[in-house]
mmCIF file of all heavy atoms in Angstrom:
data_model
loop_
_atom_site.group_PDB
_atom_site.id
_atom_site.type_symbol
_atom_site.label_atom_id
_atom_site.label_comp_id
_atom_site.label_asym_id
_atom_site.label_seq_id
_atom_site.Cartn_x
_atom_site.Cartn_y
_atom_site.Cartn_z
ATOM 1 N N MET A 29 11.912 26.684 21.641
ATOM 2 C CA MET A 29 12.479 26.649 20.316
ATOM 3 C C MET A 29 11.448 26.265 19.255
ATOM 4 O O MET A 29 11.788 26.101 18.101
ATOM 5 C CB MET A 29 13.643 25.667 20.248
ATOM 6 C CG MET A 29 14.771 25.948 21.220
ATOM 7 S SD MET A 29 15.248 27.651 21.187
ATOM 8 C CE MET A 29 15.580 27.900 22.888
ATOM 9 N N ILE A 30 10.189 26.138 19.658
ATOM 10 C CA ILE A 30 9.158 25.775 18.685
ATOM 11 C C ILE A 30 9.014 26.866 17.616
ATOM 12 O O ILE A 30 8.725 26.577 16.460
ATOM 13 C CB ILE A 30 7.804 25.471 19.364
ATOM 14 C CG1 ILE A 30 6.857 24.765 18.414
ATOM 15 C CG2 ILE A 30 7.159 26.727 19.924
ATOM 16 C CD1 ILE A 30 7.233 23.361 18.095
ATOM 17 N N GLY A 31 9.274 28.105 17.997
ATOM 18 C CA GLY A 31 9.226 29.188 17.015
ATOM 19 C C GLY A 31 10.299 29.034 15.957
ATOM 20 O O GLY A 31 10.082 29.324 14.780
ATOM 21 N N SER A 32 11.479 28.560 16.374
ATOM 22 C CA SER A 32 12.576 28.325 15.430
ATOM 23 C C SER A 32 12.209 27.217 14.450
ATOM 24 O O SER A 32 12.465 27.328 13.244
ATOM 25 C CB SER A 32 13.854 27.947 16.179
ATOM 26 O OG SER A 32 14.258 28.980 17.036
ATOM 27 N N LEU A 33 11.598 26.154 14.969
ATOM 28 C CA LEU A 33 11.176 25.045 14.117
ATOM 29 C C LEU A 33 10.093 25.500 13.147
ATOM 30 O O LEU A 33 10.134 25.175 11.959
ATOM 31 C CB LEU A 33 10.675 23.877 14.966
ATOM 32 C CG LEU A 33 10.146 22.672 14.197
ATOM 33 C CD1 LEU A 33 11.227 22.076 13.310
ATOM 34 C CD2 LEU A 33 9.609 21.645 15.173
ATOM 35 N N ASP A 34 9.139 26.271 13.656
ATOM 36 C CA ASP A 34 8.067 26.795 12.820
ATOM 37 C C ASP A 34 8.639 27.620 11.664
ATOM 38 O O ASP A 34 8.232 27.464 10.508
ATOM 39 C CB ASP A 34 7.117 27.643 13.668
ATOM 40 C CG ASP A 34 5.995 28.247 12.847
ATOM 41 O OD1 ASP A 34 5.207 27.470 12.268
ATOM 42 O OD2 ASP A 34 5.930 29.493 12.785
ATOM 43 N N HIS A 35 9.601 28.475 11.981
ATOM 44 C CA HIS A 35 10.232 29.317 10.954
ATOM 45 C C HIS A 35 10.945 28.456 9.909
ATOM 46 O O HIS A 35 10.810 28.694 8.700
ATOM 47 C CB HIS A 35 11.217 30.283 11.613
ATOM 48 C CG HIS A 35 12.025 31.078 10.649
ATOM 49 N ND1 HIS A 35 11.505 32.130 9.930
ATOM 50 C CD2 HIS A 35 13.315 30.950 10.253
ATOM 51 C CE1 HIS A 35 12.448 32.618 9.142
ATOM 52 N NE2 HIS A 35 13.555 31.918 9.326
ATOM 53 N N LEU A 36 11.684 27.459 10.360
ATOM 54 C CA LEU A 36 12.417 26.576 9.447
ATOM 55 C C LEU A 36 11.464 25.873 8.490
ATOM 56 O O LEU A 36 11.674 25.889 7.264
ATOM 57 C CB LEU A 36 13.223 25.548 10.247
ATOM 58 C CG LEU A 36 13.927 24.458 9.447
ATOM 59 C CD1 LEU A 36 14.999 25.062 8.545
ATOM 60 C CD2 LEU A 36 14.524 23.422 10.380
ATOM 61 N N ILE A 37 10.420 25.255 9.016
ATOM 62 C CA ILE A 37 9.475 24.511 8.172
ATOM 63 C C ILE A 37 8.727 25.446 7.234
ATOM 64 O O ILE A 37 8.541 25.143 6.047
ATOM 65 C CB ILE A 37 8.486 23.708 9.046
ATOM 66 C CG1 ILE A 37 9.240 22.680 9.896
ATOM 67 C CG2 ILE A 37 7.415 23.041 8.192
ATOM 68 C CD1 ILE A 37 10.039 21.671 9.098
ATOM 69 N N TYR A 38 8.306 26.603 7.742
ATOM 70 C CA TYR A 38 7.578 27.573 6.927
ATOM 71 C C TYR A 38 8.410 28.030 5.728
ATOM 72 O O TYR A 38 7.942 28.018 4.584
ATOM 73 C CB TYR A 38 7.182 28.774 7.793
ATOM 74 C CG TYR A 38 6.470 29.864 7.045
ATOM 75 C CD1 TYR A 38 5.113 29.792 6.794
ATOM 76 C CD2 TYR A 38 7.173 30.978 6.582
ATOM 77 C CE1 TYR A 38 4.455 30.793 6.096
ATOM 78 C CE2 TYR A 38 6.519 31.991 5.884
ATOM 79 C CZ TYR A 38 5.161 31.888 5.649
ATOM 80 O OH TYR A 38 4.529 32.876 4.956
ATOM 81 N N GLU A 39 9.647 28.425 5.990
ATOM 82 C CA GLU A 39 10.514 28.910 4.905
ATOM 83 C C GLU A 39 10.857 27.796 3.917
ATOM 84 O O GLU A 39 10.854 28.003 2.700
ATOM 85 C CB GLU A 39 11.789 29.526 5.475
ATOM 86 C CG GLU A 39 11.556 30.804 6.252
ATOM 87 C CD GLU A 39 11.017 31.935 5.396
ATOM 88 O OE1 GLU A 39 11.332 32.007 4.195
ATOM 89 O OE2 GLU A 39 10.260 32.751 5.951
ATOM 90 N N ALA A 40 11.168 26.607 4.425
ATOM 91 C CA ALA A 40 11.503 25.486 3.535
ATOM 92 C C ALA A 40 10.297 25.090 2.682
ATOM 93 O O ALA A 40 10.440 24.792 1.490
ATOM 94 C CB ALA A 40 12.001 24.300 4.356
ATOM 95 N N ALA A 41 9.110 25.103 3.272
ATOM 96 C CA ALA A 41 7.901 24.759 2.523
ATOM 97 C C ALA A 41 7.627 25.795 1.433
ATOM 98 O O ALA A 41 7.266 25.434 0.304
ATOM 99 C CB ALA A 41 6.715 24.652 3.464
ATOM 100 N N ASN A 42 7.790 27.060 1.766
ATOM 101 C CA ASN A 42 7.597 28.104 0.751
ATOM 102 C C ASN A 42 8.584 27.943 -0.400
ATOM 103 O O ASN A 42 8.222 28.095 -1.572
ATOM 104 C CB ASN A 42 7.735 29.501 1.362
ATOM 105 C CG ASN A 42 6.470 29.941 2.053
ATOM 106 O OD1 ASN A 42 5.393 29.492 1.713
ATOM 107 N ND2 ASN A 42 6.603 30.817 3.018
ATOM 108 N N ASP A 43 9.829 27.623 -0.083
ATOM 109 C CA ASP A 43 10.825 27.396 -1.138
ATOM 110 C C ASP A 43 10.448 26.195 -2.000
ATOM 111 O O ASP A 43 10.589 26.228 -3.231
ATOM 112 C CB ASP A 43 12.214 27.183 -0.536
ATOM 113 C CG ASP A 43 12.804 28.452 0.045
ATOM 114 O OD1 ASP A 43 12.271 29.549 -0.229
ATOM 115 O OD2 ASP A 43 13.806 28.338 0.784
ATOM 116 N N ALA A 44 9.960 25.129 -1.364
ATOM 117 C CA ALA A 44 9.574 23.920 -2.099
ATOM 118 C C ALA A 44 8.397 24.198 -3.037
ATOM 119 O O ALA A 44 8.350 23.683 -4.155
ATOM 120 C CB ALA A 44 9.226 22.801 -1.127
ATOM 121 N N ILE A 45 7.462 25.015 -2.597
ATOM 122 C CA ILE A 45 6.324 25.372 -3.446
ATOM 123 C C ILE A 45 6.783 26.266 -4.586
ATOM 124 O O ILE A 45 6.406 26.060 -5.750
ATOM 125 C CB ILE A 45 5.231 26.063 -2.612
ATOM 126 C CG1 ILE A 45 4.603 25.055 -1.657
ATOM 127 C CG2 ILE A 45 4.167 26.696 -3.509
ATOM 128 C CD1 ILE A 45 3.741 25.671 -0.576
ATOM 129 N N THR A 46 7.627 27.239 -4.283
ATOM 130 C CA THR A 46 8.095 28.188 -5.282
ATOM 131 C C THR A 46 8.879 27.519 -6.399
ATOM 132 O O THR A 46 8.703 27.840 -7.575
ATOM 133 C CB THR A 46 8.967 29.275 -4.620
ATOM 134 O OG1 THR A 46 8.178 29.953 -3.644
ATOM 135 C CG2 THR A 46 9.486 30.279 -5.631
ATOM 136 N N ASP A 47 9.750 26.553 -6.028
ATOM 137 C CA ASP A 47 10.557 25.920 -7.079
ATOM 138 C C ASP A 47 9.868 24.715 -7.729
ATOM 139 O O ASP A 47 10.426 24.068 -8.593
ATOM 140 C CB ASP A 47 11.955 25.559 -6.570
ATOM 141 C CG ASP A 47 12.006 24.409 -5.581
ATOM 142 O OD1 ASP A 47 11.008 23.682 -5.417
ATOM 143 O OD2 ASP A 47 13.076 24.226 -4.968
ATOM 144 N N GLY A 48 8.644 24.415 -7.301
ATOM 145 C CA GLY A 48 7.868 23.356 -7.934
ATOM 146 C C GLY A 48 8.121 21.966 -7.392
ATOM 147 O O GLY A 48 7.482 21.018 -7.825
ATOM 148 N N ALA A 49 9.022 21.817 -6.445
ATOM 149 C CA ALA A 49 9.333 20.497 -5.903
ATOM 150 C C ALA A 49 8.158 19.931 -5.103
ATOM 151 O O ALA A 49 7.891 18.736 -5.129
ATOM 152 C CB ALA A 49 10.569 20.559 -5.014
ATOM 153 N N GLU A 50 7.458 20.802 -4.382
ATOM 154 C CA GLU A 50 6.326 20.439 -3.537
ATOM 155 C C GLU A 50 6.673 19.386 -2.492
ATOM 156 O O GLU A 50 5.799 18.734 -1.937
ATOM 157 C CB GLU A 50 5.122 20.026 -4.372
ATOM 158 C CG GLU A 50 4.600 21.171 -5.228
ATOM 159 C CD GLU A 50 3.308 20.878 -5.935
ATOM 160 O OE1 GLU A 50 2.702 19.824 -5.660
ATOM 161 O OE2 GLU A 50 2.906 21.695 -6.765
ATOM 162 N N THR A 51 7.937 19.203 -2.236
ATOM 163 C CA THR A 51 8.436 18.328 -1.176
ATOM 164 C C THR A 51 9.624 19.041 -0.542
ATOM 165 O O THR A 51 10.511 19.513 -1.250
ATOM 166 C CB THR A 51 8.917 16.976 -1.755
ATOM 167 O OG1 THR A 51 7.822 16.340 -2.412
ATOM 168 C CG2 THR A 51 9.453 16.069 -0.666
ATOM 169 N N ILE A 52 9.622 19.100 0.786
ATOM 170 C CA ILE A 52 10.748 19.731 1.471
ATOM 171 C C ILE A 52 11.943 18.787 1.411
ATOM 172 O O ILE A 52 11.857 17.638 1.847
ATOM 173 C CB ILE A 52 10.399 20.053 2.935
ATOM 174 C CG1 ILE A 52 9.278 21.093 2.990
ATOM 175 C CG2 ILE A 52 11.627 20.562 3.683
ATOM 176 C CD1 ILE A 52 8.754 21.361 4.385
ATOM 177 N N THR A 53 13.033 19.278 0.865
ATOM 178 C CA THR A 53 14.249 18.477 0.757
ATOM 179 C C THR A 53 15.313 19.023 1.711
ATOM 180 O O THR A 53 15.154 20.094 2.292
ATOM 181 C CB THR A 53 14.811 18.541 -0.676
ATOM 182 O OG1 THR A 53 15.204 19.889 -0.944
ATOM 183 C CG2 THR A 53 13.791 18.076 -1.711
ATOM 184 N N GLN A 54 16.391 18.285 1.844
ATOM 185 C CA GLN A 54 17.505 18.745 2.676
ATOM 186 C C GLN A 54 18.056 20.062 2.144
ATOM 187 O O GLN A 54 18.428 20.938 2.917
ATOM 188 C CB GLN A 54 18.612 17.681 2.725
ATOM 189 C CG GLN A 54 19.725 18.023 3.691
ATOM 190 C CD GLN A 54 19.261 18.028 5.138
ATOM 191 O OE1 GLN A 54 18.591 17.106 5.573
ATOM 192 N NE2 GLN A 54 19.623 19.055 5.883
ATOM 193 N N ALA A 55 18.068 20.211 0.830
ATOM 194 C CA ALA A 55 18.550 21.464 0.227
ATOM 195 C C ALA A 55 17.675 22.645 0.645
ATOM 196 O O ALA A 55 18.187 23.737 0.901
ATOM 197 C CB ALA A 55 18.576 21.337 -1.296
ATOM 198 N N HIS A 56 16.358 22.432 0.715
ATOM 199 C CA HIS A 56 15.466 23.499 1.168
ATOM 200 C C HIS A 56 15.761 23.856 2.626
ATOM 201 O O HIS A 56 15.821 25.029 2.988
ATOM 202 C CB HIS A 56 13.998 23.079 1.035
ATOM 203 C CG HIS A 56 13.540 22.924 -0.365
ATOM 204 N ND1 HIS A 56 13.105 21.730 -0.870
ATOM 205 C CD2 HIS A 56 13.449 23.813 -1.394
ATOM 206 C CE1 HIS A 56 12.756 21.885 -2.136
ATOM 207 N NE2 HIS A 56 12.970 23.143 -2.483
ATOM 208 N N LEU A 57 15.930 22.866 3.462
ATOM 209 C CA LEU A 57 16.219 23.109 4.876
ATOM 210 C C LEU A 57 17.553 23.824 5.046
ATOM 211 O O LEU A 57 17.678 24.748 5.850
ATOM 212 C CB LEU A 57 16.213 21.800 5.656
ATOM 213 C CG LEU A 57 14.865 21.075 5.737
ATOM 214 C CD1 LEU A 57 15.051 19.691 6.345
ATOM 215 C CD2 LEU A 57 13.838 21.884 6.497
ATOM 216 N N ASP A 58 18.548 23.398 4.284
ATOM 217 C CA ASP A 58 19.883 23.997 4.380
ATOM 218 C C ASP A 58 19.896 25.457 3.922
ATOM 219 O O ASP A 58 20.745 26.235 4.362
ATOM 220 C CB ASP A 58 20.899 23.202 3.564
ATOM 221 C CG ASP A 58 21.199 21.833 4.149
ATOM 222 O OD1 ASP A 58 20.916 21.622 5.359
ATOM 223 O OD2 ASP A 58 21.716 20.979 3.406
ATOM 224 N N ALA A 59 18.970 25.828 3.046
ATOM 225 C CA ALA A 59 18.942 27.185 2.505
ATOM 226 C C ALA A 59 18.345 28.208 3.473
ATOM 227 O O ALA A 59 18.530 29.407 3.294
ATOM 228 C CB ALA A 59 18.154 27.199 1.191
ATOM 229 N N VAL A 60 17.653 27.729 4.504
ATOM 230 C CA VAL A 60 17.003 28.644 5.448
ATOM 231 C C VAL A 60 18.023 29.145 6.465
ATOM 232 O O VAL A 60 18.767 28.368 7.063
ATOM 233 C CB VAL A 60 15.839 27.925 6.179
ATOM 234 C CG1 VAL A 60 15.234 28.843 7.233
ATOM 235 C CG2 VAL A 60 14.782 27.471 5.190
ATOM 236 N N LEU A 61 18.050 30.464 6.654
ATOM 237 C CA LEU A 61 18.901 31.054 7.681
ATOM 238 C C LEU A 61 18.224 30.858 9.030
ATOM 239 O O LEU A 61 17.078 31.257 9.219
ATOM 240 C CB LEU A 61 19.115 32.543 7.415
ATOM 241 C CG LEU A 61 19.894 32.887 6.151
ATOM 242 C CD1 LEU A 61 19.935 34.395 5.964
ATOM 243 C CD2 LEU A 61 21.282 32.307 6.205
ATOM 244 N N LEU A 62 18.933 30.229 9.958
ATOM 245 C CA LEU A 62 18.373 29.972 11.279
ATOM 246 C C LEU A 62 18.432 31.212 12.151
ATOM 247 O O LEU A 62 19.332 32.037 12.012
ATOM 248 C CB LEU A 62 19.140 28.831 11.950
ATOM 249 C CG LEU A 62 19.114 27.491 11.226
ATOM 250 C CD1 LEU A 62 19.957 26.472 11.977
ATOM 251 C CD2 LEU A 62 17.692 26.993 11.050
ATOM 252 N N ASP A 63 17.496 31.308 13.069
ATOM 253 C CA ASP A 63 17.505 32.440 13.992
ATOM 254 C C ASP A 63 18.505 32.184 15.122
ATOM 255 O O ASP A 63 19.049 31.086 15.265
ATOM 256 C CB ASP A 63 16.118 32.726 14.538
ATOM 257 C CG ASP A 63 15.505 31.591 15.326
ATOM 258 O OD1 ASP A 63 16.246 30.705 15.807
ATOM 259 O OD2 ASP A 63 14.286 31.576 15.490
ATOM 260 N N GLY A 64 18.751 33.208 15.911
ATOM 261 C CA GLY A 64 19.752 33.128 16.972
ATOM 262 C C GLY A 64 19.475 32.043 17.993
ATOM 263 O O GLY A 64 20.395 31.394 18.488
ATOM 264 N N ALA A 65 18.212 31.821 18.339
ATOM 265 C CA ALA A 65 17.866 30.798 19.329
ATOM 266 C C ALA A 65 18.230 29.401 18.823
ATOM 267 O O ALA A 65 18.750 28.572 19.573
ATOM 268 C CB ALA A 65 16.381 30.863 19.657
ATOM 269 N N ALA A 66 17.971 29.141 17.554
ATOM 270 C CA ALA A 66 18.288 27.832 16.988
ATOM 271 C C ALA A 66 19.794 27.625 16.917
ATOM 272 O O ALA A 66 20.303 26.553 17.236
ATOM 273 C CB ALA A 66 17.670 27.680 15.599
ATOM 274 N N VAL A 67 20.509 28.639 16.510
ATOM 275 C CA VAL A 67 21.968 28.546 16.393
ATOM 276 C C VAL A 67 22.594 28.328 17.775
ATOM 277 O O VAL A 67 23.514 27.522 17.937
ATOM 278 C CB VAL A 67 22.547 29.807 15.725
ATOM 279 C CG1 VAL A 67 24.058 29.814 15.776
ATOM 280 C CG2 VAL A 67 22.068 29.897 14.284
ATOM 281 N N ALA A 68 22.078 29.012 18.781
ATOM 282 C CA ALA A 68 22.626 28.894 20.137
ATOM 283 C C ALA A 68 22.440 27.493 20.713
ATOM 284 O O ALA A 68 23.253 27.033 21.515
ATOM 285 C CB ALA A 68 21.969 29.917 21.054
ATOM 286 N N GLN A 69 21.400 26.787 20.290
ATOM 287 C CA GLN A 69 21.119 25.449 20.814
ATOM 288 C C GLN A 69 21.894 24.355 20.085
ATOM 289 O O GLN A 69 21.987 23.240 20.566
ATOM 290 C CB GLN A 69 19.621 25.145 20.723
ATOM 291 C CG GLN A 69 18.804 25.963 21.675
ATOM 292 C CD GLN A 69 19.169 25.699 23.118
ATOM 293 O OE1 GLN A 69 19.275 24.556 23.526
ATOM 294 N NE2 GLN A 69 19.371 26.748 23.878
ATOM 295 N N PHE A 70 22.431 24.653 18.926
ATOM 296 C CA PHE A 70 23.125 23.634 18.133
ATOM 297 C C PHE A 70 24.546 23.431 18.644
ATOM 298 O O PHE A 70 25.347 24.350 18.651
ATOM 299 C CB PHE A 70 23.166 24.035 16.657
ATOM 300 C CG PHE A 70 23.905 23.045 15.808
ATOM 301 C CD1 PHE A 70 23.394 21.793 15.576
ATOM 302 C CD2 PHE A 70 25.113 23.369 15.247
ATOM 303 C CE1 PHE A 70 24.069 20.881 14.800
ATOM 304 C CE2 PHE A 70 25.815 22.452 14.467
ATOM 305 C CZ PHE A 70 25.279 21.209 14.244
ATOM 306 N N GLN A 71 24.831 22.256 19.094
ATOM 307 C CA GLN A 71 26.167 21.888 19.537
ATOM 308 C C GLN A 71 26.590 20.651 18.745
ATOM 309 O O GLN A 71 26.175 19.549 19.069
ATOM 310 C CB GLN A 71 26.162 21.561 21.040
ATOM 311 C CG GLN A 71 25.803 22.726 21.923
ATOM 312 C CD GLN A 71 26.846 23.830 21.877
ATOM 313 O OE1 GLN A 71 28.030 23.574 21.752
ATOM 314 N NE2 GLN A 71 26.383 25.055 21.964
ATOM 315 N N PRO A 72 27.375 20.833 17.693
ATOM 316 C CA PRO A 72 27.758 19.662 16.888
ATOM 317 C C PRO A 72 28.553 18.658 17.716
ATOM 318 O O PRO A 72 29.356 19.040 18.571
ATOM 319 C CB PRO A 72 28.613 20.252 15.772
ATOM 320 C CG PRO A 72 29.048 21.587 16.270
ATOM 321 C CD PRO A 72 28.019 22.060 17.252
ATOM 322 N N HIS A 73 28.286 17.397 17.470
ATOM 323 C CA HIS A 73 29.012 16.321 18.154
ATOM 324 C C HIS A 73 30.387 16.168 17.516
ATOM 325 O O HIS A 73 30.509 16.055 16.309
ATOM 326 C CB HIS A 73 28.250 15.012 18.049
ATOM 327 C CG HIS A 73 28.992 13.863 18.653
ATOM 328 N ND1 HIS A 73 29.117 13.707 20.006
ATOM 329 C CD2 HIS A 73 29.667 12.844 18.087
ATOM 330 C CE1 HIS A 73 29.845 12.622 20.249
ATOM 331 N NE2 HIS A 73 30.182 12.080 19.094
ATOM 332 N N ARG A 74 31.387 16.206 18.330
ATOM 333 C CA ARG A 74 32.759 16.031 17.838
ATOM 334 C C ARG A 74 33.353 14.806 18.517
ATOM 335 O O ARG A 74 33.469 14.784 19.750
ATOM 336 C CB ARG A 74 33.604 17.258 18.152
ATOM 337 C CG ARG A 74 33.120 18.475 17.412
ATOM 338 C CD ARG A 74 33.980 19.659 17.682
ATOM 339 N NE ARG A 74 33.395 20.819 17.017
ATOM 340 C CZ ARG A 74 33.795 22.033 17.204
ATOM 341 N NH1 ARG A 74 34.781 22.294 18.011
ATOM 342 N NH2 ARG A 74 33.205 23.029 16.578
ATOM 343 N N PRO A 75 33.701 13.796 17.726
ATOM 344 C CA PRO A 75 34.300 12.598 18.323
ATOM 345 C C PRO A 75 35.507 12.949 19.180
ATOM 346 O O PRO A 75 36.317 13.795 18.812
ATOM 347 C CB PRO A 75 34.714 11.765 17.107
ATOM 348 C CG PRO A 75 33.839 12.260 15.998
ATOM 349 C CD PRO A 75 33.599 13.716 16.284
ATOM 350 N N GLY A 76 35.596 12.322 20.340
ATOM 351 C CA GLY A 76 36.728 12.569 21.227
ATOM 352 C C GLY A 76 36.452 13.625 22.280
ATOM 353 O O GLY A 76 37.228 13.802 23.202
ATOM 354 N N ASN A 77 35.337 14.337 22.156
ATOM 355 C CA ASN A 77 34.968 15.364 23.117
ATOM 356 C C ASN A 77 33.791 14.923 23.987
ATOM 357 O O ASN A 77 32.918 15.703 24.307
ATOM 358 C CB ASN A 77 34.603 16.681 22.424
ATOM 359 C CG ASN A 77 35.817 17.387 21.890
ATOM 360 O OD1 ASN A 77 36.939 17.079 22.274
ATOM 361 N ND2 ASN A 77 35.602 18.345 21.001
ATOM 362 N N ASP A 78 33.748 13.662 24.341
ATOM 363 C CA ASP A 78 32.650 13.120 25.131
ATOM 364 C C ASP A 78 32.953 13.205 26.616
ATOM 365 O O ASP A 78 33.138 12.219 27.294
ATOM 366 C CB ASP A 78 32.372 11.664 24.744
ATOM 367 C CG ASP A 78 31.927 11.536 23.284
ATOM 368 O OD1 ASP A 78 31.319 12.490 22.790
ATOM 369 O OD2 ASP A 78 32.196 10.489 22.687
ATOM 370 N N ARG A 79 33.007 14.395 27.148
ATOM 371 C CA ARG A 79 33.287 14.557 28.585
ATOM 372 C C ARG A 79 32.034 14.704 29.370
ATOM 373 O O ARG A 79 31.085 15.220 29.063
ATOM 374 C CB ARG A 79 34.154 15.788 28.808
ATOM 375 C CG ARG A 79 35.506 15.606 28.225
ATOM 376 C CD ARG A 79 36.342 16.787 28.607
ATOM 377 N NE ARG A 79 37.304 17.030 27.558
ATOM 378 C CZ ARG A 79 38.171 18.005 27.592
ATOM 379 N NH1 ARG A 79 38.182 18.825 28.599
ATOM 380 N NH2 ARG A 79 39.026 18.178 26.645
#
């Protein structure tokens, strides 16, 4: 999944440079569309489902 992380940081950094922030923020990270490998690995924690 290192490729997924690389893509996320690369896109967020480019957005931060483009908008002048020069700092990656949560908004920059949230704006990046994740690839299929990253989405497949994400399992949100839901209270009560700790089996």
Side-chain angles (χ1 to χ4, degrees):
M29 302 312 143
I30 195 71
S32 299
L33 177 60
D34 179 62
H35 173 74
L36 174 64
I37 298 300
Y38 178 82
E39 293 296 329
N42 279 334
D43 289 347
I45 291 167
T46 300
D47 71 13
E50 296 188 8
T51 300
I52 296 173
T53 64
Q54 186 66 47
H56 292 118
L57 295 171
D58 291 341
V60 176
L61 294 176
L62 299 178
D63 61 20
V67 172
Q69 290 298 312
F70 178 69
Q71 296 294 325
H73 176 74
R74 295 182 184 170
N77 287 344
D78 297 330
R79 293 186 211 179

